[in-house]
């Protein structure tokens, strides 16, 4: 972790409470004295969350091994080493030190045919006292924040599905008063709609995705009128949809690619473990 030690650090924490936000979303609040050093939250601040396997009292993670932690973690049996997932820090509070992380509970409902991942299963059963470890920012301005509108931006365009809903909420809270934002958010259930902003200059369009149906974000964007200049776009969600939205903005709308920030939070048909293997050349 050369060059990363000062910017990021490990923070052991425990669950202090949970709150159901809708059929798909659950907020888990983490606390603990170590979180006093967690330097940033809100916007699209991301962190790595390490979770235990069922039956383990805490995640098996050699985070005290310094720069060798990743190799030591990878050397552990996959069935035993801590489950690592990336999440957005929805909110951070200093006193007492707490973090909110919102989980999409795909596959945890008996009526949902999609398979549940280990993080969703963990979150659905999370209870006060459950122990985790976070790898997050030790400095406020860090490279795990992707939302960075350039100076002179007049309008912010946000395009997201439910997995990026926490980041959208954090971004809207961060925007200065009077900032204009055009927002499209797609969720699988109307009951997942949240009250994110009542600012006059923030226009939010909610899209409900039918079970098994493709995303409606691209169709809605193509039908929208966008400002001709000083536009900054932020896109996050399913990787294939994100790619199509970015291509539309750059190739069809002529938006400068430097004015588009994008992140594939997940990919249809692929687990996060698989995506991590592809990104880092890892093998199980």
């Amino acid at each position: 972790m050369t060059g990363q030690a000062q910017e990021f650090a490990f923070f052991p924490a425990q669950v202090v409470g949970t709150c159901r936000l809708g059929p798909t979303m659950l907020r888990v609040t983490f606390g603990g004295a170590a979180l006093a050093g967690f330097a940033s939250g809100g916007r699209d601040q991301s962190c790595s969350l390490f979770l235990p396997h069922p039956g383990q009292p805490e995640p098996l993670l050699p985070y005290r091994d310094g720069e060798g932690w990743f190799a030591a973690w990878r050397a552990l049996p996959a069935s035993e080493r801590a489950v690592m997932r990336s999440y957005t820090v929805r909110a951070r509070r200093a006193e007492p030190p707490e973090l909110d992380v919102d989980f999409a509970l795909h596959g945890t409902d008996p009526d949902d045919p999609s398979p549940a991942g280990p993080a969703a299963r963990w979150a659905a059963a999370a209870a006060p006292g459950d122990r985790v470890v976070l790898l997050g920012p030790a400095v406020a301005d860090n490279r795990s924040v992707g939302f960075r509108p350039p100076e002179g931006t007049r309008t912010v365009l946000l395009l997201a599905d439910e997995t990026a809903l926490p980041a959208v909420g954090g971004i809207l809270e961060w925007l200065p008063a009077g900032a204009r934002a055009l927002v499209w958010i797609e969720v699988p259930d109307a009951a997942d709609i949240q009250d994110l902003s009542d600012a006059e200059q923030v226009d939010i369009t909610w899209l409900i995705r039918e079970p098994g149906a493709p995303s409606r974000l691209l169709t809605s964007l193509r039908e929208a009128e966008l400002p001709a200049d000083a536009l900054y776009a932020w896109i996050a969600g399913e990787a294939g949809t994100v790619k199509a939205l970015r291509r539309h903005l750059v190739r069809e709308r002529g938006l400068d690619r430097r004015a588009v920030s994008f992140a594939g939070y997940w990919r249809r048909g692929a687990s996060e473990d698989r995506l991590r293997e592809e990104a880092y050349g890892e093998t199980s």
Side-chain angles (χ1 to χ4, degrees):
M1 250 169 61
T2 302
Q4 195 178 30
Q6 295 182 348
E7 193 173 5
F8 300 98
F10 287 99
F11 302 91
Q14 63 275 341
V15 175
V16 297
T18 63
C19 176
R20 194 68 180 250
L21 303 177
T24 303
M25 301 298 296
L26 175 77
R27 177 164 297 164
V28 178
T29 299
F30 298 102
L35 292 178
F38 199 101
S40 177
R43 278 196 285 176
D44 59 344
Q45 174 69 66
S46 66
C47 68
S48 291
L49 178 62
F50 294 87
L51 304 170
H53 289 275
Q56 293 179 330
E58 61 182 320
L60 183 56
L61 175 68
Y63 64 91
R64 294 182 179 87
D65 286 6
E67 293 186 3
W69 77 268
F70 187 79
W73 173 77
R74 284 293 298 174
L76 295 169
S79 60
E80 299 178 14
R81 68 176 180 240
V83 174
M84 178 167 58
R85 292 292 184 267
S86 296
Y87 278 94
T88 298
V89 181
R90 178 61 180 84
R92 168 183 167 268
R93 293 173 292 280
E95 189 57 45
E98 291 182 343
L99 301 176
D100 293 335
V101 175
D102 294 353
F103 292 78
L105 300 179
H106 295 153
T108 60
D109 190 302
D111 296 328
D112 186 349
S114 59
R121 289 194 299 269
W122 177 89
D130 289 352
R131 298 164 71 178
V132 302
V133 176
L134 299 100
L135 174 59
V139 295
D141 186 11
N142 61 85
R143 63 180 179 272
S144 288
V145 175
F147 180 81
R148 297 179 181 272
E151 186 176 353
T153 297
R154 295 195 187 98
T155 303
V156 168
L157 172 65
L158 307 178
L159 301 162
D161 66 14
E162 68 273 17
T163 63
L165 180 52
V168 172
I171 288 169
L172 292 178
E173 290 178 359
W174 178 86
L175 288 176
R180 186 186 183 197
L182 303 176
V183 188
W184 278 263
I185 308 172
E186 184 175 59
V187 294
D189 194 301
D192 287 317
I193 294 175
Q194 298 180 19
D195 185 11
L196 297 179
S197 175
D198 58 3
E200 185 177 350
Q201 295 297 313
V202 176
D203 184 1
I204 303 178
T205 299
W206 291 91
L207 303 172
I208 309 303
R209 183 179 63 251
E210 298 297 328
S215 172
R216 298 173 56 196
L217 283 167
L218 182 58
T219 300
S220 296
L221 181 61
R222 280 181 168 148
E223 297 172 350
E225 292 187 13
L226 300 179
D229 60 355
L231 177 68
Y232 170 77
W234 179 93
I235 314 168
E238 195 278 321
T241 301
V242 167
K243 182 178 180 180
L245 291 167
R246 178 176 180 267
R247 183 185 300 118
H248 169 75
L249 289 172
V250 173
R251 296 185 182 178
E252 299 178 36
R253 298 274 190 166
L255 190 62
D256 188 328
R257 65 180 63 250
R258 293 171 296 182
V260 183
S261 297
F262 60 99
Y265 283 4
W266 63 288
R267 191 174 72 199
R268 197 175 308 280
S271 67
E272 184 169 343
D273 290 327
R274 178 59 180 167
L275 294 178
R276 197 178 299 276
E277 289 171 8
E278 292 177 358
Y280 296 101
E282 302 169 11
T283 56
S284 299

